[in-house]
Amino acid sequence: MSYKSILVIIVSLLFVVSCKQNNSYKKINEVNSQQVSVEKSSVKKFVVNEFLDAGGYTYLKVTEGIEEYWMAIPPTKVEIGKTYYYSGGMFMENFESKTLKKTFDKIKFVERISESNSGVVAKSSAKAHQNSGKSDLTVAGSKIEKASGELKLSDIFKNKNSFANTNVEIKGIVVKVNKKILDRNWIHIVDGTKLGDKSSLTITSEEMAEVGDTLVFKGKIVLDKDFGYNYVYDILLEDGKILK
């Protein structure tokens, strides 16, 4: 084989690898049911090696397979040496716990754990059924009544560059809530308007809302918010405050 042929093969292989790396980058769609989850929802198990309760979390040092890492979950009673199960989860790098005065090089945030495989499946199925029912009803149903000139989600989607880094007030129906991930709640709202297939807005907030609530939020619109691991929100309302 000639030197020229070998060079062509090497360049072709580099191109293929580059394409695979570029395809790994993903923007999060607002209607995605796993918006803050990097991993798929298959059930996994781990053993607790150490735990700390602080700042609204239980921090676990766990072994999963051959890997040892830190995990953060809502306050939960656990036992060292015991096996637990979970699904989903999101890894974050260089996460700082101000309460512990510790920075974790890598930590996984998980919504819940269970002492049994079936316990994780049952809870996940019940939650999915509850959320999907209310979400489908809201998206397919009538629009929220708004006063003349009152901001709509479609206005924000159409003119997102104009709204970037500005504070807005927006009224919507809560269709999904992810609690206490990265020290905040992730609230998804709709108001019956949309742009293309985008119909919901994600809000991060220290306040809590329930699926089905109709609320007004005030916060800052940010674009292309990167949470690491190639997951980016193209539009997000940060530090949302509930007005009414």
Side-chain angles (χ1 to χ4, degrees), residues 32-200:
N32 192 322
S33 63
Q34 294 292 335
Q35 286 176 318
V36 294
S37 177
V38 173
E39 297 194 356
K40 294 182 180 179
S41 59
S42 57
V43 177
K44 300 179 180 181
K45 66 179 180 179
F46 62 88
V47 176
V48 176
N49 303 324
E50 180 183 342
F51 69 88
L52 300 166
D53 290 309
Y57 291 104
T58 295
Y59 294 91
L60 310 175
K61 192 171 187 180
V62 307
T63 298
E64 181 180 323
I66 62 173
E67 184 181 9
E68 185 177 70
Y69 63 89
W70 283 95
M71 176 186 291
I73 61 176
T76 306
K77 291 183 178 180
V78 297
E79 297 179 22
I80 293 176
K82 192 168 183 177
T83 298
Y84 295 89
Y85 298 82
Y86 75 98
S87 67
M90 180 177 73
F91 269 119
M92 292 296 291
E93 294 179 322
N94 299 319
F95 174 77
E96 180 185 3
S97 169
K98 294 180 180 179
T99 305
L100 293 176
K101 296 181 180 179
K102 175 181 175 66
T103 298
F104 295 91
D105 293 335
K106 181 181 178 182
I107 188 168
K108 179 182 284 188
F109 288 84
V110 173
E111 287 190 38
R112 68 173 64 86
I113 63 173
S114 175
E115 295 183 10
S116 68
N117 184 315
S118 59
V120 174
V121 174
K123 289 180 181 179
S124 298
S125 299
K127 182 178 179 182
H129 177 74
Q130 178 189 30
N131 284 348
S132 63
K134 296 215 177 180
S135 179
D136 292 344
L137 176 64
T138 302
V139 174
S142 59
K143 297 181 180 180
I144 295 176
E145 292 296 328
K146 294 191 176 184
S148 177
E150 192 173 5
L151 190 63
K152 302 179 180 66
L153 288 181
S154 58
D155 297 329
I156 297 176
F157 299 150
K158 289 176 185 176
N159 306 287
K160 65 179 185 179
N161 290 328
S162 299
F163 284 104
N165 299 314
T166 62
N167 290 311
V168 301
E169 294 182 15
I170 186 72
K171 182 179 181 181
I173 299 174
V174 178
V175 294
K176 181 177 175 61
V177 179
N178 295 97
K179 301 178 181 179
K180 293 297 179 184
I181 298 178
L182 304 181
D183 290 322
R184 69 204 82 177
N185 300 309
W186 301 71
I187 302 167
H188 312 281
I189 65 169
V190 300
D191 67 359
T193 66
K194 63 181 182 177
L195 177 65
D197 62 354
K198 186 183 293 297
S199 60
S200 70

Side-chain angles (χ1 to χ4, degrees), residues 27-28 30 156-157 159-168 184 186 198 201-204 218-227 232-240:
K27 281 196 175 184
I28 302 176
E30 294 299 326
I156 297 176
F157 299 150
N159 306 287
K160 65 179 185 179
N161 290 328
S162 299
F163 284 104
N165 299 314
T166 62
N167 290 311
V168 301
R184 69 204 82 177
W186 301 71
K198 186 183 293 297
L201 177 67
T202 302
I203 300 166
T204 62
K218 182 177 181 179
K220 183 171 73 173
I221 295 292
V222 295
L223 306 180
D224 298 325
K225 181 74 174 185
D226 190 347
F227 289 96
V232 179
Y233 278 86
D234 62 341
I235 184 167
L236 188 74
L237 191 148
E238 282 195 316
D239 301 321

